Amino acid sequence: MMSNLFSVFDPSTSLMNMQLNWLSTFIGLFMIPVAFWMMPNRPYHMWNSLLKTLHSEFKILLGPNSSAGSTLLFVTLFSIIVFNNFMGLMPYVFTSTSHLAMTLSLSLPLWLGFMLYGWINHTKHMFAHLVPQGTPAFLMPFMVLIETLSNIMRPGTLAVRLAANMIAGHLLLTLLASTGPSLTTTILSLLIFSQILLLTLEAAVAVIQSYVFAVLSTLYASEVN
């Protein structure tokens, strides 16, 4: 039962399927040229307004000295994650964001880039950031150690938060669906209704977790700017 339960997250059924599963992560890239030539419609305007809102918010988080295109990275990051989260809600589609291989591939290079940029270009600011203002002198060595450890853990917490939230919802949906064949008609109708509610909740979680990942990445970038 346990192996069957977690097999929904297993991409390696065969070499060909494994490659196709991971390639599904980039299907959104093929839709960009099509979306560019599409006639504007309601979903198109909704998506554009969402991206403009995110651009404005990320611009505030990065500070007034940030360049005009500095938010492009984080808006693109949000778009990639939310697309893959929604892809995972479809039947028989591999959920790449439920794997640490995917989430760490997004968080670790960003964190390394921010750290290298900060320590090379703003060394004094990075050292000052290790000791919060007003810290007593005898606590400074401990604060440096705590701040260093919390900084090192950032890419891991970003990756685990996203993967864990995707796994939790999918496991709950799988557990409920596995009990369906043994239920009566009345209880089965209640199960279908609860599945619809859970699917709606998972759609909200997909957007929220994408937003949290992008916002935290923006805040980490603003600390070294």
Side-chain angles (χ1 to χ4, degrees):
M1 174 66 181
M2 191 60 67
S3 60
N4 293 334
L5 181 62
F6 283 93
S7 63
V8 296
F9 303 105
D10 185 15
S12 56
T13 52
S14 67
L15 181 61
M16 184 64 181
N17 287 341
M18 181 176 64
Q19 292 171 348
L20 291 176
N21 281 329
W22 285 110
L23 283 175
S24 67
T25 306
F26 306 102
I27 290 178
L29 297 177
F30 297 101
M31 296 182 179
I32 293 175
V34 178
F36 181 79
W37 294 108
M38 282 175 60
M39 292 295 292
N41 49 28
R42 183 172 295 179
Y44 177 85
H45 288 300
M46 289 176 62
W47 180 250
N48 269 353
S49 62
L50 174 63
L51 293 185
K52 288 177 182 177
T53 304
L54 289 174
H55 168 75
S56 302
E57 185 168 343
F58 293 161
K59 185 75 173 175
I60 294 171
L61 292 175
L62 289 172
N65 296 326
S66 59
S67 60
S70 57
T71 61
L72 180 62
L73 170 65
F74 305 104
V75 172
T76 306
L77 183 66
F78 170 84
S79 303
I80 291 173
I81 296 174
V82 77
F83 175 81
N84 283 283
N85 288 350
F86 272 105
M87 283 280 291
L89 294 178
M90 299 179 185
Y92 304 105
V93 177
F94 173 61
T95 312
S96 59
T97 47
S98 64
H99 287 257
L100 286 175
M102 174 67 177
T103 55
L104 268 177
S105 297
L106 295 173
S107 63
L108 190 58
L110 282 174
W111 178 80
L112 284 174
F114 297 154
M115 288 298 101
L116 287 174
Y117 175 83
W119 284 103
I120 292 173
N121 297 289
H122 306 287
T123 308
K124 292 182 179 179
H125 171 74
M126 296 297 290
F127 273 117
H129 188 70
L130 295 176
V131 182
Q133 191 174 3
T135 304
F138 68 94
L139 287 179
M140 285 183 181
F142 300 102
M143 291 305 300
V144 170
L145 180 61
I146 292 171
E147 288 292 328
T148 303
L149 288 176
S150 65
N151 204 352
I152 293 173
M153 290 171 61
R154 281 179 175 179
T157 55
L158 272 179
V160 170
R161 181 188 295 108
L162 177 58
N165 278 280
M166 291 298 103
I167 289 173
H170 284 66
L171 283 180
L172 190 55
L173 288 170
T174 306
L175 279 171
L176 286 176
S178 64
T179 60
S182 60
L183 299 178
T184 61
T185 306
T186 305
I187 301 178
L188 185 60
S189 60
L190 292 175
L191 178 64
I192 293 173
F193 179 70
S194 64
Q195 286 276 59
I196 294 172
L197 289 179
L198 273 174
L199 201 58
T200 307
L201 177 63
E202 275 298 292
V205 170
V207 177
I208 291 170
Q209 290 304 317
S210 307
Y211 176 74
V212 168
F213 195 102
V215 166
L216 288 177
S217 300
T218 309
L219 288 173
Y220 298 158
S222 66
E223 289 182 1
V224 300
N225 194 357

